[in-house]
């Protein structure tokens, strides 16, 4: 029972701090966005974030997977497609990140070298359920 309480407390603290940016040595932050599917629906939490060029966004599957992160060419700043595609690592198609299935599995997108602007994204498997979000990227 004590172990269960410790685990529950740890998970609660993790969820409360997961959207806070973690700053690295060079001022770059890692921002965590949770991917959730439950009785309340399918969503990214937080759905809207502000980051800086050079930061990293780590998407974590909490529940309801498989999930992924996909960007539409018309939902990103003009001319940003090639840099974003390169920064996405493993993909299943143009601007469409790999599917993550297991709880706590994550997918990372670097914002290094991107143009400032708004990057709208969605989850391909849950697009019909309006699982979407946006990253506002600002210059440093």
């Amino acid at each position: 029972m004590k172990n269960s309480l410790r685990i529950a407390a740890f998970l609660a603290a993790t969820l409360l701090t997961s959207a806070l940016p973690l700053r690295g040595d060079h001022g770059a932050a890692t921002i965590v966005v949770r991917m959730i599917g439950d009785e309340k629906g399918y969503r990214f939490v937080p759905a809207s974030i502000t980051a800086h060029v050079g930061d990293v966004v780590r998407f974590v599957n909490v529940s309801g997977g498989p999930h992924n992160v996909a960007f539409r060419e018309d939902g990103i700043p003009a001319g940003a497609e090639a840099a974003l595609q390169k920064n996405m690592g493993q993909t299943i198609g143009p601007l469409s990140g790999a599917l993550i299935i297991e709880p706590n599995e994550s997918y990372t997108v670097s914002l290094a070298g991107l143009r400032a602007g708004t990057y709208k994204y969605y989850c391909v498997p849950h697009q019909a359920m309006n699982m979407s979000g946006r990253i506002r990227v600002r210059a440093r």
Side-chain angles (χ1 to χ4, degrees), residues 20-42:
L20 300 175
L22 305 171
R23 297 267 173 222
D25 292 338
H26 302 288
T30 297
I31 302 165
V32 176
V33 175
R34 295 173 291 140
M35 306 163 100
I36 301 171
D38 59 19
E39 67 280 351
K40 295 179 185 176
Y42 289 84

Side-chain angles (χ1 to χ4, degrees), residues 57-70:
V57 181
R58 185 169 48 117
F59 295 90
V60 179
N61 179 12
V62 174
S63 59
H67 296 296
N68 84 331
V69 178

